[in-house]
């Protein structure tokens, strides 16, 4: 889509967020094949969906259909707030940042490589809309979602849930997943040396080294927000519990 279309999409995007009927329709149709809803014209009552369908000259394309599905899943986390609440939240935001955030969300939704990611993005935008996270943090978090393969996110979430269900102290995050997350800035490497003192030579020498991937502060805040790990969680109140040992040498 070109720049002019994105500028038009931006307005329909914000209208969709503020609309009571839009989120109700999205809630009802998110788990149902959308073709029937499109045929009946119900989904066209959602401003951004109506805008997209009007772009199609000879029927809706696969790309447009998938984008609509992404929009519906993105809207899901916003359903917990009323139209009045959403409008109030948006009015409190800096107008320039809100405009840039809307453009960013549209661009990310258009290119996300999984239909599971839009709901993650919806949680992030909801936090931004409420003022829980600033614009810059929203951008970082959106980058995390976009950059990391969905299979890695699913593995990461499964590790958290498995540890919680089994009352295990630390989630078992797979090394390959942690390495993939490191590339996105979710983890950072820490190198620790075990040393011993040589009394004859009067110096220290390294006995072994441990390389650890530590969850960054941004990664920890993302985990709390997107995967619902609260600060007062008895098992996950410390981000160091998500660290991953690479190897001992």
């Amino acid at each position: 889509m070109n720049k002019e279309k994105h500028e038009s999409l931006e307005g329909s995007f914000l209208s969709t967020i503020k609309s009571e009927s839009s989120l109700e329709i999205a809630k009802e149709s998110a788990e149902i094949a959308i073709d029937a809803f499109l045929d009946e014209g119900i989904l066209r009552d959602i401003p951004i969906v109506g805008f997209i369908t009007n772009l199609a000259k000879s029927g809706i394309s696969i790309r447009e259909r998938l984008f609509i599905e992404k929009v519906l899943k993105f809207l899901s986390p916003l359903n917990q707030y009323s139209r009045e609440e959403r409008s109030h939240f948006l009015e409190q935001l800096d107008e320039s940042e809100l405009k840039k955030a809307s453009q960013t969300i549209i661009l990310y939704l258009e290119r996300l490589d999984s239909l599971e990611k839009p709901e993650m993005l919806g949680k992030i935008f909801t936090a931004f809309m409420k003022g829980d996270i600033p614009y810059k943090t929203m951008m970082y978090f959106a980058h995390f979602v976009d950059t990391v393969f969905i299979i890695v996110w699913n593995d990461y979430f499964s590790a958290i849930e498995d540890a919680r269900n089994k009352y295990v102290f630390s989630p078992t995050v797979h090394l390959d997943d942690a390495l993939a997350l490191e590339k996105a800035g979710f983890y950072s490497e820490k190198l620790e040396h075990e040393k011993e003192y040589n009394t004859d030579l009067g110096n220290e020498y390294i006995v072994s080294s441990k390389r650890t991937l530590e969850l960054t502060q941004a990664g920890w805040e993302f985990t709390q927000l997107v995967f619902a790990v609260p600060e007062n969680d008895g098992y996950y109140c410390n981000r160091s519990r998500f660290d991953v040992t690479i190897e001992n040498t």
Side-chain angles (χ1 to χ4, degrees):
M1 295 184 184
N2 60 33
K3 185 175 184 293
E4 293 179 354
K5 290 178 180 177
H6 274 300
E7 289 176 346
S8 300
L9 271 173
E10 175 194 321
S12 62
F13 174 81
L14 293 176
S15 296
T16 299
I17 298 300
K18 296 178 182 179
S19 170
E20 189 74 43
S21 59
S22 294
L23 269 74
E24 284 299 318
I25 295 171
K27 182 178 180 180
E28 293 176 7
S29 59
E31 301 301 327
I32 304 174
I34 68 172
D35 299 298
F37 286 89
L38 285 171
D39 292 340
E40 295 175 11
I42 297 174
L43 285 180
R44 291 183 175 87
D45 291 336
I46 300 179
I48 193 169
V49 176
F51 179 86
I52 296 166
T53 54
N54 288 335
L55 292 178
K57 302 295 184 181
S58 58
I60 189 168
S61 70
I62 293 176
R63 181 177 180 180
E64 289 158 347
R65 183 186 185 279
L66 289 173
F67 184 77
I68 290 174
E69 288 201 49
K70 291 177 184 179
V71 169
L72 297 178
K73 293 180 182 297
F74 167 82
L75 293 174
S76 178
L78 284 82
N79 269 306
Q80 58 186 304
Y81 302 101
S82 68
R83 178 181 61 82
E84 291 76 14
E85 288 174 320
R86 295 192 300 272
S87 295
H88 174 72
F89 291 144
L90 293 173
E91 288 168 1
Q92 305 306 306
L93 297 175
D94 177 86
E95 187 174 341
S96 174
E97 289 188 343
L98 178 58
K99 179 179 179 180
K100 289 188 291 185
S102 300
Q103 293 170 341
T104 297
I105 292 297
I106 292 168
L107 288 167
Y108 273 124
L109 282 174
E110 191 175 23
R111 77 186 196 192
L112 287 180
D113 57 1
S114 166
L115 290 177
E116 296 176 71
K117 287 185 176 182
E119 186 173 352
M120 298 170 68
L121 203 59
K123 293 178 180 179
I124 293 166
F125 183 82
T126 299
F128 168 71
M129 178 185 72
K130 292 172 57 187
D132 293 340
I133 59 174
Y135 170 76
K136 186 175 181 180
T137 299
M138 188 211 76
M139 294 290 288
Y140 272 119
F141 287 1
H143 170 72
F144 286 158
V145 172
D146 179 53
T147 304
V148 178
F149 288 126
I150 189 61
I151 191 170
V152 174
W153 285 130
N154 287 339
D155 285 349
Y156 187 73
F157 177 68
S158 295
I160 295 172
E161 288 298 288
D162 187 57
R164 177 179 283 140
N165 292 335
K166 294 179 179 178
Y167 299 98
V168 177
F169 182 82
S170 298
T172 304
V173 180
H174 196 278
L175 174 58
D176 289 342
D177 293 333
L179 290 171
L181 290 166
E182 181 192 16
K183 292 181 179 179
F186 205 80
Y187 276 93
S188 62
E189 186 183 72
K190 179 181 179 181
L191 185 62
E192 295 180 337
H193 300 297
E194 181 182 347
K195 299 180 180 180
E196 289 187 1
Y197 186 77
N198 188 317
T199 55
D200 295 332
L201 298 177
N203 61 7
E204 287 185 325
Y205 62 96
I206 297 174
V207 177
S208 64
S209 298
K210 182 175 73 172
R211 298 169 62 215
T212 302
L213 289 179
E214 296 184 312
L215 191 64
T216 63
Q217 181 62 32
W220 174 229
E221 292 174 0
F222 180 97
T223 299
Q224 291 176 298
L225 171 61
V226 176
F227 297 115
V229 177
E231 289 186 18
N232 60 353
D233 189 309
Y235 288 90
Y236 305 113
C237 59
N238 190 327
R239 74 180 185 182
S240 66
R241 297 181 181 180
F242 289 80
D243 293 350
V244 178
T245 298
I246 299 178
E247 62 184 26
N248 287 295
T249 60

